[in-house]
Amino acid sequence: QLETLEQEEQECLKLKPHPTQKETHIVSHEHGMTVWKTLLEGEAEQQCYSFSYSRAKLQGVLLEGASLLLLRVLARRQKMLPDLVFPTINTEGDLCTSRY
């Protein structure tokens, strides 16, 4: 049973002339999960947005932090289960699936 209670991600690309900073904060709560995203590209105004998912839509969801942990456990056991598929959230915030 893997459950993400909170996750924070930060990305920084220092490419000229438009450096980019992305921050994502994900919090689980009794009604589901809320995601806050912040994007700053070059000199443009910072963009902030958030979205939420209900618990029903998130049944079995595996976020990046939990995915990394699962991959380490599978590598340690040196075993891969056939057709291992989990729902996840992509970088745009859409629900999709990850196959291992």
Side-chain angles (χ1 to χ4, degrees), residues 22-39:
K22 294 180 187 179
E23 292 183 15
T24 305
H25 188 83
I26 302 170
V27 176
S28 181
H29 47 77
E30 65 180 282
H31 302 295
M33 187 172 284
T34 301
V35 179
W36 292 272
K37 290 188 150 290
T38 304
L39 175 63

Side-chain angles (χ1 to χ4, degrees), residues 84-96:
L84 194 55
V85 179
F86 290 99
T88 190
I89 300 173
N90 67 17
T91 55
E92 288 77 34
D94 300 319
L95 286 173
C96 60

Side-chain angles (χ1 to χ4, degrees), residues 10-100:
Q10 294 181 349
E11 295 178 46
C12 184
L13 297 172
K14 295 184 177 184
L15 300 174
K16 293 183 181 180
H18 300 289
T20 302
Q21 288 183 298
K22 294 180 187 179
E23 292 183 15
T24 305
H25 188 83
I26 302 170
V27 176
S28 181
H29 47 77
E30 65 180 282
H31 302 295
M33 187 172 284
T34 301
V35 179
W36 292 272
K37 290 188 150 290
T38 304
L39 175 63
L40 180 59
E41 291 182 293
E43 300 295 320
E45 188 173 325
Q46 181 172 300
Q47 300 173 31
C48 299
Y49 54 98
S50 68
F51 44 91
S52 296
Y53 294 104
S54 68
R55 283 229 176 256
K57 284 190 174 188
L58 294 173
Q59 187 66 32
V61 75
L62 189 66
L63 297 178
E64 187 175 5
S67 176
L68 292 172
L69 178 62
L70 177 62
L71 288 174
R72 285 184 179 192
V73 169
L74 291 172
R76 185 98 169 138
R77 290 183 177 178
Q78 297 179 348
K79 187 185 296 185
M80 198 61 164
L81 302 172
D83 299 322
L84 194 55
V85 179
F86 290 99
T88 190
I89 300 173
N90 67 17
T91 55
E92 288 77 34
D94 300 319
L95 286 173
C96 60
T97 56
S98 284
R99 296 184 184 280
Y100 294 83

